[in-house]
Structures are given as structure tokens and as C-alpha cells.
Amino acid sequence: MEEALTRATVPKLLVANWKLNPQIEAEAVRLARASDAKNIVIAPPFPFLVAVGKALKRATLGAQDVFWKLHGAYTGGVSPLMLRALGVRYVIVGHSERRALGETDTMVNKKARAALRAGLAPILCVGEPLAVRRKGLAAAKRFVAHQLRADLRGVSPSSVISHQSLVVAYEPLWAIGTGRAATPADAAEMAEFIKGLLVKSYKLKVSVLYGGSVNVRNAGAFLAEPAIDGALVGGASLQAAEFRKMISINQRS
Ligand code: 13P
């Protein structure tokens, strides 16, 4: 019932990042069918992209990662053109779970640029760790600004405009998978800050999502913030009934 009190004012973008779930294709297809709605992006693991793409009629297909090279001796690599050919439209780059495995800003930058060149819309993830957030929101903004500058080096407005979109997801590390989301007001302030910075420094107009412990109880409050253009959802996107409720919160106007 809580969701009825905090409804979104316009449909925004809900991105389901399934991470390394589910385990089998049949389950992925079932979840995709249950989550199939407008303004939804589903990002399954690579091996399920084809089956999930076929199952979706309204939602858009996303991928969780991409490599920046188009061909060659790069074991394990998946190129942006390969993703495009599978019907992928969005690709998450720079997720903190990949950064934790050693992905640097230089690598994230190459991925974002390669995605844009191939006609994919990158969902660039940025966000500060807890130690930084403890110093206050101003310190968090400085951290995020530094990430954005490094991750978007060389990205021109024309490359973004001609490929339709660049999405930034503000995902504070301390909020991911912890059940402790940022407050909608803080997330909105950060979203405003990111938009302002990118317009001023790069002439880039971006959409900004919030991610980190978004669930059926708090989704409406995030989506109701004018500065927040949607949500990047992990755990709750794997619960079909919960995600369906989040979709209907997003669709009510
Ligand atoms: P949770 O929604 O499980 O906190 O995960 C957020 C996330 O990392 C989405 O990319």
C-alpha cells in the first residue's frame, strides 16, 4: 500500500540489472515476460540475451558489460557490435561490481566510447564509497565529478546526440545490495549536480538514474523527484511480483 502514497508523476526508465542471475534460461524467460513493459530495460547475463530479447515485446534489451575492441585476440571479449546485432540498445558500463574487480576509469572510458560509436546507449555507473560519503554530500559530489571527468574524457556532444542517449546512474556503493538506499532528496541533489556538471563542462544533456536498494516501498519516492529520470534496480528486479508493482508505480501518472 505504501507505494500508492508516493507515486511517480511521469513514466521514467526502470532498468533491471539481473547481475549473475537467474541460473537457467527458462527462468530468465519467465522473469522477462513478467517484466515486459514500456519504459523498462532488462539487462540479463550475456548467455540469456537472445532468449530474453525474443521474449520481450515492450521492454528494451540491455547488457551488463561490453568490451571496447571490435575483433582480435581478446579472450572472453564481447564487442558492442555483437551486442547491437542481438538487439541490445543499452549497456551498463563501469558498474561498481566491475570496478571492484579491477576495472579502471580508463577502461570505463573506452567502453563508454566504444558503446556510443556502435550505437548503444551507455548507462555509466558512478558513485562514492562509504568512507567518502561519511565526509558529507559535498565530498561525494567531488568524487563523482572526478569519475565523470575520467569516464567521459573525449566523449563529444555530437557522439551522444547522434546515438540518442547517454545515461548516468548514480549508485553510491554503500547503498548497493545493503537495503540502505540514499534518501530521495540526496539522490535528487546528486542528479542535479551531475546534469549541471555535464552541461557546463561537456555540453552533454544526460538522463540520470538512481540505483542502490531501490524496492517497491521506496521506488515511488525516487521516481517522483523531478531530477531523477529513473532507477537502476538490482535485487528487486529478480522478484517478479515486486518488480511488476514497481512498473505500475512508474506507469501511474
Ligand atoms: P540493488 O538494487 O540490489 O541494491 O543493486 C543495485 C545495483 O547495483 C544495480 O545496478
Side-chain angles (χ1 to χ4, degrees):
M1 290 307 101
E2 306 94 305
E3 66 265 28
L5 301 173
T6 50
R7 61 186 52 162
T9 48
V10 282
K12 298 187 174 182
L13 196 66
L14 280 185
V15 181
N17 175 10
W18 289 355
K19 307 188 180 183
L20 213 171
N21 304 287
Q23 301 311 301
I24 57 167
E25 186 179 286
E27 181 61 16
V29 168
R30 190 191 67 77
L31 194 55
R33 290 205 176 109
S35 314
D36 190 18
K38 280 193 189 146
N39 305 306
I40 303 300
V41 176
I42 306 289
F46 285 141
F48 302 149
L49 278 171
V50 172
V52 166
K54 280 190 189 141
L56 298 178
K57 302 278 178 284
R58 296 181 190 81
T60 307
L61 194 59
Q64 297 177 20
D65 191 22
V66 67
F67 191 52
W68 57 86
K69 292 284 188 180
L70 298 185
H71 49 78
Y74 302 103
T75 303
V78 174
S79 84
L81 291 180
M82 291 171 178
L83 294 178
R84 264 293 294 259
L86 297 182
V88 170
R89 168 91 183 81
Y90 289 89
V91 62
I92 296 169
V93 295
H95 194 283
S96 61
E97 288 155 9
R98 299 218 60 86
R99 293 181 192 256
L101 293 171
E103 196 161 301
T104 62
D105 283 318
T106 305
M107 292 158 79
V108 174
N109 177 250
K110 286 182 183 175
K111 290 182 176 191
R113 291 166 64 172
L116 284 167
R117 267 198 306 276
L120 295 169
I123 300 174
L124 170 63
C125 299
V126 293
E128 79 287 356
L130 185 58
V132 172
R133 183 62 184 86
R134 283 210 172 107
K135 294 180 191 155
L137 201 55
K141 286 180 185 172
R142 281 195 296 277
F143 186 95
V144 165
H146 185 271
Q147 276 186 322
L148 287 169
R149 286 201 187 93
D151 297 346
L152 294 175
R153 185 164 297 140
V155 172
S156 64
S158 61
S159 67
V160 173
I161 291 159
S162 62
H163 296 308
Q164 288 311 311
S165 47
L166 168 64
V167 179
V168 173
Y170 170 56
E171 293 208 310
L173 272 58
W174 46 269
I176 296 176
T178 59
R180 287 189 296 123
T183 64
D186 279 358
E189 188 173 331
M190 185 63 90
E192 290 274 19
F193 170 74
I194 291 169
K195 289 179 187 190
L197 177 80
L198 294 186
V199 165
K200 192 163 145 258
S201 307
Y202 295 90
K203 312 263 179 296
L204 288 177
K205 207 166 172 328
V206 298
S207 300
V208 179
L209 313 180
Y210 168 75
S213 296
V214 177
N215 58 35
V216 71
R217 291 175 303 285
N218 62 23
F222 286 109
L223 297 172
E225 289 287 349
I228 298 177
D229 302 305
L232 180 52
V233 186
S237 72
L238 296 168
Q239 308 299 324
E242 178 162 8
F243 197 60
R244 281 228 58 91
K245 282 190 198 162
M246 292 166 73
I247 291 170
S248 55
I249 291 169
N250 191 38
Q251 284 171 344
R252 277 183 229 139
S253 53

